[in-house]
Amino acid sequence: MTKPSSFFSLSGFSGLFIGIYCFLALFTIRFLTNDYSSGEVMSSMLPVLFIEVFVVVTTILFIILSVFTLWIRARRKAKKSTTILWNPLSKKLRLHLLTPLLFISIVLILIANYGYYNLITPLALFFYGMLLLNLSRFTHKRLKLLAGIEIILAILAYFIYDNELLFLILGFGLFHMLYGMLTLGKKK
């Protein structure tokens, strides 16, 4: 009887792809909001509600695309090693990923509704770091490194104002890509 394994991991190409998705999403948001705030182009005539909905939809698409990428990469790895993808460990891992992800999303939406926009970036990074720390129990122990970096970035983002985009790019983009490159081809 082989030990059940899970292929859901931010290692290798998964981390690279998620980092690239983040760069694309944040670049798109930044491009639209810069055009909106400059008042020089047609997008500045759009209502604020449109910009807010666009940011939320882009964020949701980023999350869905990231989870989908994890699933596709896991399915490919399981097929390559002729292992069953839907095993007890992967069920547990998905539960420990999707439940906190839903909770984090709800909390961040509530915080935004109350107007505490300056807390969104630090809390998103902090909750994500805690999520990664929790998932490291079931996957690679190296994930603790990325979790620690996310938590440190969250603390820095709390104290350094007006650099939300920088911290989001670092936390969800650059460090995912670096983690993916560092773990490319490494075994558990």
Side-chain angles (χ1 to χ4, degrees):
M1 179 94 168
T2 61
K3 180 184 172 198
S5 63
S6 175
F7 296 101
F8 290 91
S9 163
L10 289 173
S11 300
F13 286 112
S14 298
L16 283 171
F17 288 142
I18 290 171
I20 291 169
Y21 300 154
C22 176
F23 276 119
L24 291 174
L26 290 174
F27 174 77
T28 305
I29 290 171
R30 180 69 174 176
F31 181 74
L32 184 67
T33 55
N34 271 355
D35 285 350
Y36 185 80
S37 63
S38 71
E40 297 174 7
V41 291
M42 289 298 290
S43 66
S44 63
M45 300 176 99
L46 296 171
V48 174
L49 181 62
F50 176 80
I51 303 297
E52 291 173 349
V53 168
F54 179 79
V55 169
V56 169
V57 168
T58 304
T59 304
I60 290 170
L61 285 175
F62 164 69
I63 292 170
I64 290 171
L65 192 57
S66 298
V67 171
F68 183 70
T69 299
L70 288 173
W71 179 73
I72 290 291
R73 300 283 306 157
R75 193 177 78 174
R76 203 175 274 170
K77 287 178 188 177
K79 198 178 279 188
K80 189 183 282 187
S81 70
T82 63
T83 305
I84 298 172
L85 181 63
W86 189 250
N87 57 46
L89 181 61
S90 64
K91 288 179 189 178
K92 185 187 291 189
L93 186 61
R94 286 181 212 157
L95 177 72
H96 283 268
L97 169 70
L98 296 177
T99 305
L101 197 57
L102 180 65
F103 170 76
I104 291 167
S105 302
I106 291 170
V107 168
L108 292 176
I109 289 170
L110 289 174
I111 287 172
N113 282 339
Y114 283 111
Y116 296 113
Y117 299 113
N118 59 335
L119 293 178
I120 292 174
T121 298
L123 285 177
L125 289 167
F126 178 76
F127 284 144
Y128 185 66
M130 295 304 290
L131 173 69
L132 292 178
L133 194 60
N134 184 33
L135 292 177
S136 71
R137 297 181 305 156
F138 307 108
T139 62
H140 304 290
K141 301 300 179 202
R142 300 186 292 259
L143 198 57
K144 288 181 181 178
L145 175 66
L146 185 59
I149 290 171
E150 298 288 341
I151 292 170
I152 290 169
L153 280 175
I155 294 168
L156 290 173
Y158 180 77
F159 289 110
I160 301 173
Y161 297 114
D162 296 331
N163 287 312
E164 289 85 6
L165 191 67
L166 172 69
F167 286 110
L168 289 173
I169 287 172
L170 288 174
F172 294 116
L174 181 66
F175 285 117
H176 271 91
M177 292 174 71
L178 289 174
Y179 181 79
M181 287 189 294
L182 289 174
T183 58
L184 197 60
K186 289 187 179 179
K187 301 291 180 198
K188 194 175 187 181

